Amino acid sequence: MRLTTEQKQAVRWDKDAFISACPGSGKTRVIISKLVRTMDEVRGTPRMVGCITYTNTAVHEIEARLRHHSQPGDEDFYDVCTIHSFCLNHIFRPFCHLIKGYKQGFKVLTPDSKEFANFVTSTCDRYGRYNLNFQDIEEFSNLRMSPVGEPVGYTIERGAITPNMAKRFWKTIRYSGFVDFANIIYYSLLLLQKRAEIQNYIASKFAWILVDEFQDTSDLQVEILSLIADLGRTRFYLVGDPFQSIFQFAGARPDLADNFANRIGARTDLPLSGNFRSSQPMVEHAELIFPRIPPMSARGEARHYIEQPQWRHGHSSFEVLTDYFLPGLDSLGIPHGNSAVLAPTWFTLFPLGRKLREFGISIFGPGARPYRRNRQFAPLAEQICGYLMESNPDSIIGIERTLFNTLLDITGRANFSVFSYKGRVVVFRLLEKGSELYQIHMGAVTWLESAADAFSDVLIDAGYLTDGERQIFSASVEEMKADMKRNRVDLPNLGISDLGIYSSPNAALKLSTIHNAKGREYDAVAMIDVHEGRLPSYYAKTPDDIAEQKRLFYVGTTRAKRFLLYVTDDAGRNGPSRFLQEIKNGFH
C-alpha cells in the first residue's frame, strides 16, 4: 500500500497517538495500514486489535479494503466495528446477566423497528401525547445517557421529551427484554466501573484500539476508553479532525478528544495535511472557513480542476438546482450518481425529493423510496435487485447482513449460521431464484410478488423460516404496493432497476443531510437552505453551538471534489447564513 511521507510517519509511530487528519487526507488508508501493522504484533497470540469507526458504512469499507491486505485467518485477530458493536459484543453481551432485567438475555431495539415505534407510542400515550409523526419517534432515537444515568441530549434540552418520559421509555424496554443503543453504551460503562474483572478482561484482550472519527466520540464513550487505558495494557491510535466535530447532540465535543489524548500521553504532532479529494479552488475555499496549521493542500487527481465555488439565489431551491446545478453537471460531464444535494435537516429534502423525482431525476435519499423502508421484504428485495443490476462480489456480504437482519426481524432469533457456508449457499440460491424470475418478469411488481413466494420457499427449505411464516413476505409486498399507490407511483412501468438503485445507488443523485454525508465525497455538491436559522440553526444559542454549526458548514463544503454550489432562496426569510457572508469575497 503506497503512502505519503506524512502517512508513513503516522503509521510507523508505535505508541499512543492522536492523528489530526484534514478532509480527504486518506485517513482510511492510514487506518488500514496501521491495522495491518498491529496485526503483525498479535498474530498467533491470545490478543487482538479493535478498530472502532463511526458508521456501519465505514465498517464495511474498511473490511472490504482490508481483505486485500490480510492473511487467511487474520479475522480472528481484529474486529472492525462501531462503538455500539464494540460495547455490545465485547462488554454488554458477555456480561448482561449481571444487570437487572437482562438475566435471561436481550434483544437490540433499533430505531427503524416496529417495536421501537410501539414503545414510543405507548410511552407518549401515558403522557397524553397522541398522533405521533416521524419526527416525534425520531426524537427518542436521539436520547442518550449522562455518565450518572440521567437522560440528556438536545431532545431533553429543547423539551421535546421530558426526563420522566425518557426514563419511562427505558424502563419499559428493559422489562420487555430490549436494550437500545444509548443503554448499550451506558450499561457497558457501568460494567467496567463496577467490575474490575471485566475491565481487566477487555484491557487484556485488546493490544491496540484504533478509533476513527475520534472527534465524534461522546463523553460516555471516552470514559469507557479511559477505563481500558488506565490499566496500561492497551495502546491507542486515534484519528480525527476537531474542525469536523459535528455530533454535539450525541455527546461529542472537540475538547473530549484532546483531553483523552493528554490523559494517555498520546503524540499529537503527526498531522495529515494533504487533501487527496478536492481541487485546489475547493481547498483554498475551505481554508477561508477554517485555516489549518499546517495549511491543507490539494494533492489528488482532482487538484488541477479550476471550477470555483458558486453561490446562487432563486425563488426556490428546486428552481436553483434545475437552472444551475443540473445543467452544471451536464456541462462538466459529471454523472448524477457522483453528485449530492446536502441540507442541514431532512425537512427540506423530503419535498425536494418528490419534485426532483417528478422532474424525471433518479434520486437516492428522502423522497426517493416510494414505500416504507421497514417493510420486511423491502431490504432483501432491494439487495437482490441491486446485485442483478450490478454483480459486484462485495455485495454478497451486504446481502448476508440484510438476510440476517430480515430473519431476526421476522423470527426474533439471531441466526448466525447466515454467515457460514450454509448461509452463503442460501444467498446464492436466492440470487439464482431472483435471476430466474427476472428473465420472466421485467416489471418490479410482478417480480416482487413472485420473489416473495420463491424466497420464502428457499428460506423454509433451509430451516430459516417455518411454514407458519410463509406469508410474511407476500403480505409485505402488498404493503409496499399500497405505499406506492399512495405515493402515486406508476406501478406498471416500475422496473427492477428502480428497486436495485436503493441498494446500489450509483446512478442516482444523492440527497442527504450534512450530518449523514460525513465521511463521504462527491464530484459535485449543492448545499441548499444555507440561511440564518437553518445554518446556523435557530436552536444554536451559545458560542459553542454556533461554533459547531460552523463546523457543520465546513463538513458540507469539504465533501466536494470539483463543483460546489451554495443555494439560497426566497423561502429563507432570515437571509443568507452568516457563514456565507463571512466568505462572500471568496466567490468569483
Side-chain angles (χ1 to χ4, degrees):
M1 189 180 302
R2 296 180 61 183
L3 301 175
T4 66
T5 300
E6 268 187 343
Q7 292 169 341
K8 288 177 182 176
Q9 289 175 340
V11 170
R12 289 172 179 171
W13 181 250
D14 284 332
K15 298 179 183 178
D16 296 326
F18 181 17
I19 310 298
S20 177
C22 77
S25 60
K27 65 182 178 62
T28 302
R29 175 184 291 261
V30 169
I31 288 170
I32 292 171
S33 297
K34 186 66 177 181
L35 187 51
V36 172
R37 189 180 181 92
T38 54
M39 274 196 298
D40 289 338
E41 299 180 22
V42 301
R43 194 178 288 113
T45 77
R47 309 195 75 190
M48 64 186 305
V49 179
C51 181
I52 298 171
T53 190
Y54 202 80
T55 64
N56 285 319
T57 300
V59 169
H60 300 160
E61 179 185 359
I62 291 174
E63 286 181 336
R65 291 168 64 175
L66 186 61
R67 283 196 292 273
H68 299 291
H69 302 283
S70 58
Q71 301 177 17
D74 274 354
E75 60 274 10
D76 295 332
F77 299 106
Y78 68 84
D79 184 19
V80 182
C81 56
T82 63
I83 184 64
H84 292 95
S85 294
F86 179 87
C87 291
L88 175 66
N89 294 324
H90 299 290
I91 306 173
F92 184 77
R93 192 187 302 278
F95 303 106
C96 66
H97 61 278
L98 300 172
I99 301 172
K100 183 179 179 181
Y102 298 115
K103 296 185 183 299
Q104 304 302 318
F106 65 92
K107 290 184 286 187
V108 176
L109 186 65
T110 58
D112 59 351
S113 66
K114 291 180 180 179
E115 290 87 352
F116 189 92
N118 291 338
F119 283 126
V120 170
T121 301
S122 65
T123 300
C124 290
D125 284 349
R126 293 181 65 92
Y127 292 86
R129 287 180 56 183
Y130 308 103
N131 301 319
L132 304 181
N133 58 30
F134 170 79
Q135 183 181 359
D136 295 325
I137 295 174
E138 188 179 34
E139 300 280 12
F140 279 80
S141 68
N142 291 320
L143 282 173
R144 60 185 181 86
M145 248 350 159
S146 74
V148 295
E150 288 297 316
V152 292
Y154 79 102
T155 55
I156 298 291
E157 294 165 5
R158 292 195 283 107
I161 301 173
T162 67
N164 286 338
M165 290 175 67
K167 291 177 181 177
R168 166 61 63 176
F169 173 74
W170 283 326
K171 182 178 180 180
T172 302
I173 67 173
R174 184 172 72 250
Y175 285 130
S176 300
F178 285 90
V179 62
D180 67 349
F181 292 157
N183 278 286
I184 288 173
I185 300 295
Y186 176 67
Y187 286 131
S188 294
L189 175 60
L190 284 187
L191 288 166
L192 289 173
Q193 287 176 332
K194 296 181 180 297
R195 296 279 184 157
E197 68 272 22
I198 299 177
Q199 185 183 7
N200 272 283
Y201 164 74
I202 298 298
S204 299
K205 185 174 186 177
F206 290 97
W208 281 89
I209 293 180
L210 285 55
V211 186
D212 188 17
E213 305 288 4
F214 189 62
Q215 77 280 350
D216 292 325
T217 306
S218 73
D219 46 4
L220 264 69
Q221 295 163 14
V222 166
E223 189 58 33
I224 287 171
L225 297 177
S226 297
L227 289 169
I228 299 170
D230 284 346
L231 297 186
R233 300 174 195 161
T234 305
R235 282 173 284 177
F236 289 84
Y237 191 79
L238 318 167
V239 182
D241 180 9
F243 292 134
Q244 297 185 71
S245 178
I246 58 172
F247 290 96
Q248 184 174 310
F249 66 85
R253 303 192 315 267
D255 62 295
L256 291 173
D258 292 334
N259 291 342
F260 179 75
N262 291 333
R263 178 171 176 171
I264 65 174
R267 185 174 177 180
T268 58
D269 61 343
L270 294 168
L272 301 178
S273 61
N275 183 313
F276 296 88
R277 171 187 302 154
S278 303
S279 67
Q280 187 62 32
M282 296 298 122
V283 167
E284 291 174 357
H285 185 74
E287 285 287 297
L288 294 176
I289 304 170
F290 283 124
R292 308 179 72 96
I293 302 174
M296 179 167 57
S297 60
R299 301 185 191 177
E301 294 179 358
R303 67 185 182 277
H304 298 302
Y305 291 128
I306 61 173
E307 288 76 23
Q308 298 288 336
Q310 300 178 29
W311 173 7
R312 294 286 183 266
H313 183 89
H315 176 67
S316 67
S317 58
F318 174 75
E319 176 186 281
V320 177
L321 291 174
T322 52
D323 286 351
Y324 295 99
F325 188 62
L326 296 177
L329 299 182
D330 293 339
S331 66
L332 295 173
I334 298 175
H336 289 184
N338 295 353
S339 311
V341 177
L342 307 182
T345 69
W346 290 118
F347 306 122
T348 50
L349 290 173
F350 279 107
L352 175 63
R354 286 193 292 270
K355 288 183 179 179
L356 287 170
R357 194 173 65 202
E358 292 168 0
F359 192 69
I361 302 298
S362 295
I363 61 171
F364 182 81
R369 186 176 278 107
Y371 46 79
R372 292 177 60 182
R373 177 69 169 85
N374 62 359
R375 298 306 187 195
Q376 285 171 317
F377 191 52
L380 184 59
E382 290 173 4
Q383 289 284 344
I384 298 294
C385 289
Y387 188 86
L388 295 179
M389 297 300 100
E390 185 178 349
S391 301
N392 184 348
D394 288 339
S395 300
I396 298 297
I397 296 173
I399 296 173
E400 286 177 341
R401 289 195 178 96
T402 301
L403 177 59
F404 174 84
N405 291 329
T406 299
L407 294 173
L408 179 62
D409 185 40
I410 292 173
T411 67
R413 301 185 299 273
N415 201 323
F416 292 100
S417 69
V418 167
F419 303 108
S420 68
Y421 175 77
K422 172 189 174 182
R424 181 62 61 91
V425 170
V426 171
V427 166
F428 278 105
R429 287 186 63 195
L430 294 175
L431 289 171
E432 182 183 22
K433 286 291 183 182
S435 180
E436 290 175 1
L437 294 172
Y438 178 50
Q439 304 305 317
I440 303 170
H441 305 291
M442 300 298 290
V445 173
T446 52
W447 184 91
L448 283 169
E449 292 169 338
S450 300
D453 292 332
F455 289 8
S456 295
D457 289 339
V458 170
L459 296 176
I460 290 171
D461 184 58
Y464 287 151
L465 293 180
T466 66
D467 282 326
E469 294 160 337
R470 179 183 295 276
Q471 298 304 315
I472 290 177
F473 283 164
S474 294
S476 177
V477 170
E478 293 303 312
E479 292 172 337
M480 293 167 66
K481 288 162 58 179
D483 289 342
M484 288 188 281
K485 288 177 181 177
R486 282 192 295 270
N487 286 313
R488 293 174 294 179
V489 174
D490 183 7
L491 293 184
N493 291 316
L494 185 71
I496 291 176
S497 60
D498 295 317
L499 298 179
I501 204 169
Y502 305 131
S503 68
S504 182
N506 295 331
L509 178 67
K510 314 301 185 296
L511 270 62
S512 173
T513 64
I514 302 174
H515 280 102
N516 278 25
K518 178 76 168 57
R520 301 179 184 275
E521 58 185 37
Y522 308 96
D523 288 346
V525 167
M527 285 178 59
I528 67 170
D529 226 6
V530 193
H531 300 107
E532 283 291 304
R534 296 296 180 90
L535 192 62
S537 166
Y538 59 84
Y539 288 123
K541 306 295 184 183
T542 68
D544 285 345
D545 293 340
I546 298 298
E548 188 196 35
Q549 290 287 293
K550 188 173 183 178
R551 295 193 294 270
L552 185 65
F553 179 74
Y554 180 77
V555 166
T557 296
T558 54
R559 299 310 94 195
K561 293 182 181 180
R562 181 179 182 182
F563 179 30
L564 173 64
L565 176 68
Y566 295 106
V567 178
T568 56
D569 58 67
D570 293 339
R573 290 170 293 181
N574 295 329
S577 166
R578 69 188 71 180
F579 306 138
L580 271 180
Q581 301 286 3
E582 290 173 3
I583 58 172
K584 63 181 179 182
N585 292 331
F587 296 102
H588 295 265

